[in-house]
C-alpha cells in the first residue's frame, strides 16, 4: 500500500534546501581552529575579496544543478596552500573530500578551511550521507509498480537494471558495472511507449547521473556576484536514446555512447524498433534482458516517486556498495552454474538444433556471453533482494526462458535456416555420430560457464555420466574428441575446445 511507503513523505524527502541547512548547521557547530573533514562540490571561483596569500576556492554542499533549487547556499571557502596534498582534478563540479583546519573568512559571514588535503570521492557518497533514509524493498517496488505498467518480468527487469551489476571475479571481459535492459519490436507504438516511460523516470534523476554529451552549465549567484561554469558534471551512469530517430538504428545509441555500451560502463534503457528479428542482433547479444515486447508499456505520473527520487538513489547506491563483486568459487555461484547448465540442456532437448545454432559465437544466445550476462542479472537482483538464494536463481532462469521463447517464436523460418547452415558447418559432416555430437555440446556448455574457459577431465566425465553415458564410453568419447582435434589438453587434467577458423 502506498500509505505504507510514505512513512512520512516530509520526513523521508531530501530537498536541496534540507541538504543546505544540514550542512550549514554542521559548519556552525565547529569552533575556530578545530580539525574538520567535509565533502562537497568544488567551485573554481575566488570568493569576494580573497586575500593574496594563497589560492582560494569555494566548496558547495550541493551538486551544481541543485544550487538554483535551494533557498540558501552555504558555501565554505577553501584556502589551498603549497603544502596542501591534492589528489583530485581541480575542476568545477568535482566531488571531493576536504580535510583541514576551520577558521573565519575575513570578509562576510562565511567559514574558511585551511586545507591540508583534498581528494576526489565517488559521487555515490553524496547520496549515502542520508543512508538511513533508504527505502525498503517493498517501498521501492511500490513506487515503480504504481508508475510503470507492464508484465511482471519486464517491470522487475527495469527495477533490477537500476542497481547495475557487481563485477565477476576472474572474467577476461573488461566490463564495468553497467547493464542493458533492451526491448525490441516491429511496432512503433509499443517501442515508443517504453521510450516515453523510461524518459519520464530518467528525467527525474539528477543531471550528474545521466550519461550524455556534456554542455557547459552556467550558474550565477547574485548574492556573491559570481558566475560558475561547470563543463562536466559527474561521470554519467544512466542512458536513454535522446531521440526517437535513434530507435531505428541497429544499436539505438548515439555513436559517442557506443564504447560505454560495449564496455558495460553505464546502465542502458534501450528500446529498439527493428524491421525483422535477427539472430545476430547486436543489441540483444549484449543485453542482460533483451525482451520482445508484445504490448505497450503503461505509464502514470507518480508524485510520490517524483518527491522520493533522492531516496531511490540512496537505496540504489547503498545496495550497490553492499555487493561489489561475485566470485565463481562462491557456493551460490556454483549452484547457479549447475542450474544454468541444466537450463541449457532443457532447451536443447526442447528446441533441438535450433537452440544449439543460436548459441554459436555472435548469436543472441552465444552460451558464454549469455552465461556471463545471466550472472550479471543475478548480481543485479541480488543487490535488490539482498542475497543470492534459490528463488533468485529461479527468477533469472525464468526470465531467460521467457526471452528464449519469445525469440524462438519471433525469428523467421528463413533467418533460422541461415543459422542452421552455419551450425552444420561447425559440426562437420564427418562427425555426425549423435552421441559424439551430444558429448561435444556438453563440453561446450561446460566451457561456456567456466570463467577461465577450461574444463577438467573429471568435470567433463561426470557431466557425460550425468547425461547417461556409460563409464567406459564416457572415457572413450573424451579420448576420441582429443584425438580428432576437437579438444586439447594444455595442462594435465584440463581440457579446452579447439575453435574452428
Amino acid at each position: 500500500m502506498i500509505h505504507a511507503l510514505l512513512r512520512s513523505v516530509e520526513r523521508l524527502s531530501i530537498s536541496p534546501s534540507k541538504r543546505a541547512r544540514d550542512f550549514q548547521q554542521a559548519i556552525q557547530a565547529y569552533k575556530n581552529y578545530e580539525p574538520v573533514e567535509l565533502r562537497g562540490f568544488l567551485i573554481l571561483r575566488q570568493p569576494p575579496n580573497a586575500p593574496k596569500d594563497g589560492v582560494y576556492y569555494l566548496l558547495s554542499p550541493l551538486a551544481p544543478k541543485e544550487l538554483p533549487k535551494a533557498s540558501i547556499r552555504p558555501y565554505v571557502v577553501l584556502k589551498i596552500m603549497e603544502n596542501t596534498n591534492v589528489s583530485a582534478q581541480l575542476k568545477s563540479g568535482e566531488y571531493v573530500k576536504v580535510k583541514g583546519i576551520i577558521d573565519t573568512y575575513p570578509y562576510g559571514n562565511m567559514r574558511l578551511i585551511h586545507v591540508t588535503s583534498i581528494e576526489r570521492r565517488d559521487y555515490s557518497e553524496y547520496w549515502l550521507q542520508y543512508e538511513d533514509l533508504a527505502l525498503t524493498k517493498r517501498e521501492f517496488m511500490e513506487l515503480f509498480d504504481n508508475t510503470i505498467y507492464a508484465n511482471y518480468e519486464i517491470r522487475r527487469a527495469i527495477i533490477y537494471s537500476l542497481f547495475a551489476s557487481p563485477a565477476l571475479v576472474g572474467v577476461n571481459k573488461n566490463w564495468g558495472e553497467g547493464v542493458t535492459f533492451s526491448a525490441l519490436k516491429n511496432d512503433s507504438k509499443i517501442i515508443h511507449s517504453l521510450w516515453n516511460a523510461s524518459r519520464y523516470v530518467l528525467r527525474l534523476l539528477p543531471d550528474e547521473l545521466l550519461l550524455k554529451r556534456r554542455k557547459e552549465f552556467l550558474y550565477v549567484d547574485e548574492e556573491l556576484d559570481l558566475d560558475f561554469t561547470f563543463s562536466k558534471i559527474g561521470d554519467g551512469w544512466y542512458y536513454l536514446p535522446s531521440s526517437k530517430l535513434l530507435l531505428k538504428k541497429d544499436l539505438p545509441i548515439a555513436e559517442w555512447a557506443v564504447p560505454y555500451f560495449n564496455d558495460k560502463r553505464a546502465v542502458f534503457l534501450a528500446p529498439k524498433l527493428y524491421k525483422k528479428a535477427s539472430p545476430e542482433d547486436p543489441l540483444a547479444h549484449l543485453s542482460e534482458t533483451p525482451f520482445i515486447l508484445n504490448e505497450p508499456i503503461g505509464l502514470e505520473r507518480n508524485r510520490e516517486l517524483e518527491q522520493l527520487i533522492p531516496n531511490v538513489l540512496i537505496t540504489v547506491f547503498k545496495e550497490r556498495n553492499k555487493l561489489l563483486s561475485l566470485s565463481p568459487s562462491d557456493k551460490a555461484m556454483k549452484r547457479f552454474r549447475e542450474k544454468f547448465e541444466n537450463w541449457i540442456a532443457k532447451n536443447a532437448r526442447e528446441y533441438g538444433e535450433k537452440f544449439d545454432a543460436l548459441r554459436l559465437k555472435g548469436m543472441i544466445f552465444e552460451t558464454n556471453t549469455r552465461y556471463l550476462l545471466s550472472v550479471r542479472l543475478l548480481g543485479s537482483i541480488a543487490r535488490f533482494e539482498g542475497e543470492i538464494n534459490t528463488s533468485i536463481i529461479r527468477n533469472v532462469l525464468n526470465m531467460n526462458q521467457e526471452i528464449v521463447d519469445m525469440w524462438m517464436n519471433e525469428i523467421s523460418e528463413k533467418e533460422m535456416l541461415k543459422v542452421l547452415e552455419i551450425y552444420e558447418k561447425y559440426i562437420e559432416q564427418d562427425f555426425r555420430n549423435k552421441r559424439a555430437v551430444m558429448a561435444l555440446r556438453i563440453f561446450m556448455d561446460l566451457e561456456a560457464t567456466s570463467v577461465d574457459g577450461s574444463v577438467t577431465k573429471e568435470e567433463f566425465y561426470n557431466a557425460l555420466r550425468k547425461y547417461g553415458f556409460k563409464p567406459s564410453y564416457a572415457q572413450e568419447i573424451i579420448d576420441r574428441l582429443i584425438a580428432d582435434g576437437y579438444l586439447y589438453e594444455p595442462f594435465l587434467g584440463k581440457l579446452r575446445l579447439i575453435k574452428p577458423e
Side-chain angles (χ1 to χ4, degrees):
M1 299 291 291
I2 200 66
H3 68 268
L5 159 67
L6 303 176
R7 293 170 279 174
S8 167
V9 169
E10 288 185 5
R11 184 179 73 81
L12 276 174
S13 60
I14 307 161
S15 66
S17 293
K18 173 178 171 55
R19 281 186 180 274
R21 286 194 301 270
D22 290 350
F23 184 82
Q24 187 176 48
Q25 289 174 3
I27 288 295
Q28 290 173 346
Y30 286 103
K31 296 179 181 179
N32 285 349
Y33 313 118
E34 280 189 333
V36 64
E37 178 179 306
L38 297 173
R39 286 171 171 78
F41 294 88
L42 191 61
I43 298 175
L44 299 188
R45 282 288 185 274
Q46 284 196 351
N49 303 307
K52 305 297 183 182
D53 59 342
V55 178
Y56 288 80
Y57 292 135
L58 293 170
L59 185 75
S60 166
L62 299 176
K65 285 293 182 73
E66 290 186 321
L67 281 169
K69 302 175 183 177
S71 56
I72 58 172
R73 287 171 288 279
Y75 307 110
V76 172
V77 177
L78 303 179
K79 181 181 179 181
I80 298 177
M81 302 162 289
E82 288 185 2
N83 61 346
T84 299
N85 181 16
V86 178
S87 56
Q89 295 184 41
L90 294 181
K91 59 181 181 180
S92 291
E94 188 80 5
Y95 188 64
V96 296
K97 180 173 74 175
V98 172
K99 290 183 179 180
I101 305 298
I102 199 162
D103 199 352
T104 301
Y105 187 60
Y107 303 94
N109 58 2
M110 291 191 293
R111 304 298 298 273
L112 176 145
I113 297 176
H114 301 276
V115 180
T116 55
S117 70
I118 181 169
E119 63 177 284
R120 183 185 186 277
R121 303 302 297 176
D122 191 88
Y123 178 64
S124 65
E125 294 180 11
Y126 179 61
W127 300 100
L128 295 179
Q129 292 175 19
Y130 292 87
E131 190 173 330
D132 59 321
L133 295 182
L135 302 173
T136 67
K137 183 178 70 174
R138 182 180 177 184
E139 290 169 345
F140 198 99
M141 287 192 301
E142 285 188 356
L143 278 179
F144 285 89
D145 286 349
N146 287 288
T147 305
I148 296 175
Y149 298 95
N151 71 34
Y152 179 87
E153 285 78 10
I154 290 174
R155 288 201 320 274
R156 289 297 176 266
I158 292 173
I159 289 174
Y160 300 148
S161 298
L162 298 177
F163 288 82
S165 174
L168 181 59
V169 177
V171 174
N172 293 328
K173 292 181 183 292
N174 187 27
W175 282 348
E177 287 190 48
V179 300
T180 302
F181 169 85
S182 68
L184 308 92
K185 191 66 178 179
N186 187 16
D187 186 317
S188 59
K189 181 180 179 181
I190 290 176
I191 292 303
H192 290 165
S193 72
L194 175 60
W195 184 69
N196 286 325
S198 301
R199 186 170 59 162
Y200 170 71
V201 172
L202 292 196
R203 281 185 170 179
L204 300 178
L205 301 182
D207 193 73
E208 291 81 1
L209 283 177
L210 301 180
L211 178 62
K212 59 184 181 180
R213 274 194 165 169
R214 302 294 174 179
K215 295 181 179 179
E216 288 191 348
F217 166 60
L218 176 65
Y219 171 66
V220 178
D221 190 311
E222 295 181 356
E223 292 182 10
L224 291 182
D225 192 25
L226 290 175
D227 60 278
F228 309 138
T229 301
F230 303 96
S231 58
K232 185 178 186 298
I233 308 169
D235 295 326
W237 187 248
Y238 297 99
Y239 178 88
L240 179 74
S242 58
S243 164
K244 288 183 179 180
L245 294 176
L246 288 174
L247 307 185
K248 298 179 180 180
K249 295 179 60 178
D250 277 351
L251 279 179
I253 296 164
E255 290 298 326
W256 62 266
V258 171
Y260 292 84
F261 171 81
N262 290 333
D263 296 341
K264 298 284 184 184
R265 285 187 282 149
V267 172
F268 284 80
L269 302 179
K272 175 180 173 179
L273 185 64
Y274 62 61
K275 294 180 180 178
K276 59 183 178 180
S278 169
E280 300 173 274
D281 189 287
L283 177 64
H285 182 257
L286 274 184
S287 297
E288 279 73 8
T289 48
F291 283 99
I292 294 177
L293 293 183
N294 290 316
E295 56 185 24
I297 300 292
L299 171 67
E300 182 174 329
R301 182 179 176 186
N302 187 337
R303 294 188 181 277
E304 286 79 17
L305 175 63
E306 293 173 9
Q307 192 164 359
L308 295 176
I309 277 294
N311 307 79
V312 168
L313 294 174
I314 290 168
T315 308
V316 167
F317 285 118
K318 179 181 178 180
E319 299 307 321
R320 277 180 57 189
N321 283 359
K322 284 182 181 178
L323 185 59
L324 296 175
S325 64
L326 297 173
S327 172
S329 61
D330 294 342
K331 288 184 179 179
M333 289 298 298
K334 289 179 178 178
R335 187 164 69 250
F336 177 71
R337 180 184 177 187
E338 179 183 358
K339 295 291 185 183
F340 185 87
E341 289 169 354
N342 292 340
W343 175 79
I344 287 287
K346 169 184 170 293
N347 279 277
R349 289 193 300 270
E350 180 177 343
Y351 288 113
E353 287 192 342
K354 288 184 178 181
F355 184 67
D356 288 340
L358 291 176
R359 295 194 292 124
L360 293 178
K361 186 174 178 61
M363 300 298 171
I364 54 173
F365 300 127
E366 178 186 328
T367 312
N368 179 249
T369 300
R370 186 51 48 190
Y371 172 69
L372 294 178
L373 293 171
S374 297
V375 169
R376 297 173 72 80
L377 176 59
L378 182 78
S380 297
I381 300 176
R383 280 179 166 176
F384 179 71
E385 299 288 350
E387 62 175 347
I388 297 177
N389 54 37
T390 302
S391 175
I392 291 178
I393 291 173
R394 184 168 57 248
N395 195 354
V396 172
L397 297 178
N398 285 343
M399 278 194 182
N400 278 351
Q401 190 61 53
E402 180 165 342
I403 291 166
V404 167
D405 293 341
M406 285 177 172
W407 279 90
M408 284 294 184
N409 291 325
E410 193 79 11
I411 296 173
S412 68
E413 185 176 348
K414 182 179 179 180
E415 290 294 322
M416 187 59 75
L417 286 173
K418 291 179 181 178
V419 178
L420 287 170
E421 287 179 8
I422 298 173
Y423 178 73
E424 293 291 340
K425 291 178 182 177
Y426 186 78
I427 304 296
E428 298 177 9
Q429 294 301 317
D430 62 348
F431 193 65
R432 298 303 295 169
N433 179 288
K434 287 186 178 181
R435 300 289 283 175
V437 171
M438 180 184 291
L440 183 61
R441 190 180 68 200
I442 291 169
F443 184 88
M444 292 168 66
D445 293 342
L446 291 171
E447 180 209 34
T449 56
S450 168
V451 171
D452 64 1
S454 65
V455 178
T456 67
K457 277 188 175 182
E458 181 182 7
E459 190 176 17
F460 188 24
Y461 175 84
N462 290 337
L464 292 173
R465 295 283 293 116
K466 178 181 175 181
Y467 280 86
F469 286 73
K470 294 180 179 180
S472 59
Y473 189 61
Q475 187 58 56
E476 179 185 329
I477 201 68
I478 292 174
D479 294 338
R480 180 181 169 188
L481 289 172
I482 294 172
D484 289 348
Y486 287 90
L487 304 178
Y488 73 106
E489 193 172 6
F491 304 102
L492 184 63
K494 284 205 169 188
L495 300 172
R496 285 183 181 269
L497 183 70
I498 296 177
K499 308 284 186 180
E501 296 182 357

